[in-house]
Amino acid sequence: MTSMYTQIFQKILLPFHEKVIKRRNILDYREFLEESQWWSKEKLLDYQWKELEKLLKHACQEVPHWTQIFKSRGLTGTDIKSYSDFQKLPITTKDDIRANKNQMAAKNYIGKTWTKATGGSTGTPLQFDYTSDSYDWRVAISKRGYGWAGCEDGMKQAMIWGVDIGNPPAFKKIKSALHRRVLNIRLFNSFKFDETQMRKCLAELNRFKPEIIIGYTNPLYNFARFVQDNGPVKFRPQAIISAAEGIHDFQRKKIQEIFQCDVFNTYGSREFMLIAAECKDHKGLHLSVENLFVEIIRDDGSPAKPGEMGNIIITDLHNYGMPFIRYQIGDMAVAPREPECSCGRGLPLVESIVGRSLDIIRTSEGKAIPGEFFPHLMKEFRWVKQFQIVQDKIDAVQVKIVKTDGFKDVEFNFMKAEIKKITGDKMAVDYIFVDDIPLTKTGKFRVTVSNLEIKDKFPSPSGRG
Ligand SMILES: [Zn+2]
């Protein structure tokens, strides 16, 4: 089934590109990861724990911020023997990193790291350092995860993705364009994905006939709805990979129906690249445990129970240049009810990613309205093209709606009544029809946005990159 180009690419061009030109260990790590995914869960967790112990010892010795933390708790770098020991270490927030970045760099890696930034959809951007070895791990993990959807380098891929913000230097633009040409990738900017762009995108995809489409979930969903009315689709991808945001069942169904292929959800971030991804059995997302230690915890710090939503806390096992230990990324996930996946991989699961796109809306009576409520209601109205719920005060919300043809008063009244049922009588609900709802700086779309003071907000994850 693999095309000649893909074969040549994988056997000749890619090893040359990765090893000789860039001298990376990516292929070696990928080989290891292809094997380790089939290990038993116990063996994988054992491997993960040993990597964690090494990291903590290093951080305690070489990273001033962590030396201080271990000391203040009367611990040495080798005192962490169990998960309950590990929980004695504090949660690291984005604000902690902004405030202490220099103290968080490892002394023995100064000058040997690269710097990267997250966009910061809710606050100022976050800058952090990482090592080339850590980069190799990330890329290998990402390639494996995308491989579960059947995506390999050299295949024809279309990406509906956030393109560099601002004005990147010309050499960088040319370099990225060349890189994509070699990799057989077409890129469409999801930051500007209006009808004109979607029309162009569909025409180009009909010519290019991608084997894989990778995109942010909301632009993919909007595109599927556009294609439904403006088709036809003259290609049949092998798979679609949704990324960067959680995915609702109705979104997955619509995308599958329109493009006639399976949809694989993945979860990643600028800080770590791929964190978790679905295999073809879709029992949840398999965590990248060889590279990351991922916790899902309640606000009081205890682990979330199966089926319960909690904060995602990440420790990067291989970024020795600037160790991220118990880092609160700002997204939420549901702890798995299924203990293992039917595919046979030992990699632990997370049930679903809730992401930052769904802030919780609060009422003055102390009620929490899960962000999930709104997409489930709004999908019933064909004339709602896009919407966003914004809460600035505890007793008021704004419902912004971009409407298309087919608006019906009777449906609008029904919508208002349903929302009133949930918000109660004390909440003032303003309905505003707008032409456009801007994306965040990182190209993500936020369905619900809570701008309440931290004291009114619960939970209060820090800004999301
Ligand atoms: Zn699986």
Side-chain angles (χ1 to χ4, degrees):
M1 290 287 281
T2 328
S3 75
M4 182 69 93
Y5 182 76
T6 309
Q7 282 186 23
I8 293 173
F9 188 88
Q10 284 171 354
K11 297 218 161 64
I12 301 161
L13 293 176
L14 184 67
F16 182 77
H17 181 73
E18 300 290 2
K19 264 205 161 138
V20 180
I21 300 181
K22 298 201 165 176
R23 278 188 295 236
R24 281 179 191 154
N25 302 315
I26 295 170
L27 292 185
D28 292 341
Y29 287 148
R30 173 85 191 266
E31 216 171 277
F32 165 75
L33 293 167
E34 286 300 328
E35 200 182 302
S36 61
Q37 64 181 333
W38 302 107
W39 290 354
S40 70
K41 193 168 171 181
E42 292 67 37
K43 189 172 172 184
L44 276 160
L45 294 181
D46 190 50
Y47 171 84
Q48 185 192 39
W49 186 261
K50 290 199 172 101
E51 296 298 290
L52 179 65
E53 283 181 336
K54 282 188 235 166
L55 176 83
L56 295 175
K57 192 173 162 208
H58 161 76
C60 181
Q61 261 170 23
E62 301 289 345
V63 183
H65 174 79
W66 288 104
T67 308
Q68 180 57 36
I69 285 177
F70 274 82
K71 204 175 147 196
S72 68
R73 282 160 173 73
L75 296 167
T76 71
T78 52
D79 279 346
I80 310 290
K81 302 276 186 220
S82 65
Y83 180 58
S84 62
D85 291 340
F86 184 55
Q87 284 179 302
K88 291 175 189 161
L89 299 177
I91 301 293
T92 306
T93 64
K94 287 189 189 191
D95 287 339
D96 292 334
I97 295 179
R98 274 183 211 115
N100 303 300
K101 186 171 175 277
N102 292 338
Q103 298 292 306
M104 287 196 173
K107 289 181 290 189
N108 58 345
Y109 277 84
I110 301 281
K112 296 177 193 163
T113 52
W114 302 332
T115 299
K116 195 172 169 180
T118 69
S121 53
T122 53
T124 47
L126 174 73
Q127 287 217 334
F128 60 92
D129 301 337
Y130 62 108
T131 60
S132 71
D133 181 57
S134 155
Y135 177 78
D136 293 346
W137 271 104
R138 290 156 188 222
V139 173
I141 288 273
S142 300
K143 284 177 193 277
R144 177 181 71 178
Y146 278 32
W148 296 336
C151 174
E152 293 295 339
D153 286 326
M155 286 172 86
K156 288 205 267 179
Q157 298 170 33
M159 294 185 79
I160 299 174
W161 207 256
V163 177
D164 284 333
I165 307 160
N167 209 359
F171 77 88
K172 207 179 151 191
K173 273 193 212 161
I174 293 167
K175 198 178 143 210
S176 322
L178 272 176
H179 195 235
R180 283 196 296 274
R181 181 78 60 81
V182 172
L183 294 176
N184 219 356
I185 295 172
R186 294 283 185 285
L187 182 65
F188 302 91
N189 188 354
S190 70
F191 289 126
K192 289 182 191 155
F193 212 46
D194 56 15
E195 292 212 355
T196 314
Q197 291 305 318
M198 285 198 253
R199 201 173 300 280
K200 275 189 196 160
C201 178
L202 178 61
E204 194 172 335
L205 292 185
N206 276 336
R207 280 193 299 273
F208 177 56
K209 304 196 189 308
E211 296 166 277
I212 301 283
I213 301 178
I214 304 168
Y216 287 9
T217 308
N218 278 291
L220 276 176
Y221 174 66
N222 290 337
F223 187 48
R225 298 222 304 181
F226 172 83
V227 171
Q228 184 171 29
D229 297 335
N230 300 277
V233 182
K234 296 181 188 163
F235 58 93
R236 172 76 76 89
Q238 291 178 23
I240 293 182
I241 297 173
S242 64
E245 299 164 296
I247 187 166
H248 302 292
D249 284 343
F250 69 89
Q251 293 178 314
R252 189 194 295 266
K253 274 189 204 137
K254 178 63 73 188
I255 299 168
Q256 280 173 346
E257 175 201 325
I258 300 301
F259 297 104
Q260 293 288 301
C261 69
D262 206 356
V263 173
F264 292 77
N265 192 29
T266 61
Y267 170 54
S269 78
R270 297 275 295 172
E271 295 93 323
F272 310 111
M273 289 176 74
L274 191 72
I275 298 164
E278 288 181 354
C279 70
K280 66 173 177 36
D281 287 6
H282 304 285
K283 290 279 156 61
L285 294 86
H286 285 289
L287 291 163
S288 314
V289 298
E290 298 97 331
N291 190 44
L292 303 171
F293 189 98
V294 179
E295 302 167 73
I296 303 172
I297 64 168
R298 297 168 172 166
D299 293 310
D300 68 6
S302 60
K305 292 250 154 44
E308 195 178 30
M309 193 164 86
N311 302 290
I312 303 176
I313 307 292
I314 299 184
T315 300
D316 185 330
L317 301 172
H318 297 120
N319 185 7
Y320 277 42
M322 186 174 154
F324 277 68
I325 298 172
R326 303 203 80 203
Y327 171 70
Q328 181 166 17
I329 192 163
D331 289 319
M332 306 196 74
V334 177
R337 269 171 287 208
E338 301 253 4
E340 54 203 34
C341 186
S342 43
C343 70
R345 289 181 181 84
L347 294 170
L349 297 166
V350 56
E351 189 164 303
S352 62
I353 301 300
V354 184
R356 273 281 299 178
S357 62
L358 294 170
D359 276 354
I360 289 170
I361 302 295
R362 299 269 145 193
T363 71
S364 54
E365 290 111 326
K367 204 168 112 183
I369 304 169
E372 288 277 343
F373 165 76
F374 296 99
H376 279 286
L377 174 67
M378 294 299 197
K379 73 179 194 301
E380 301 302 326
F381 309 103
R382 191 89 176 95
W383 49 270
V384 175
K385 190 180 159 202
Q386 237 182 8
F387 68 93
Q388 187 176 54
I389 318 295
V390 182
Q391 181 168 33
D392 292 319
K393 289 187 291 184
I394 191 74
D395 54 359
V397 290
Q398 283 185 342
V399 179
K400 294 183 187 173
I401 298 173
V402 181
K403 64 176 175 180
T404 53
D405 303 339
F407 174 84
K408 290 192 186 83
D409 266 327
V410 56
E411 290 187 0
F412 183 43
N413 290 334
F414 172 73
M415 176 199 291
K416 288 194 281 193
E418 287 301 302
I419 290 177
K420 184 110 247 171
K421 273 189 213 164
I422 290 287
T423 56
D425 289 330
K426 287 185 188 154
M427 176 90 88
V429 185
D430 267 341
Y431 291 84
I432 306 165
F433 291 102
V434 294
D435 293 333
D436 185 37
I437 298 172
L439 300 174
T440 65
K441 279 186 209 153
T442 48
K444 292 183 192 176
F445 182 76
R446 296 180 67 194
V447 172
T448 53
V449 179
S450 172
N451 296 323
L452 292 181
E453 296 283 312
I454 293 294
K455 65 181 170 53
D456 292 330
K457 218 184 204 178
F458 176 87
S460 55
S462 47
R464 170 79 174 86

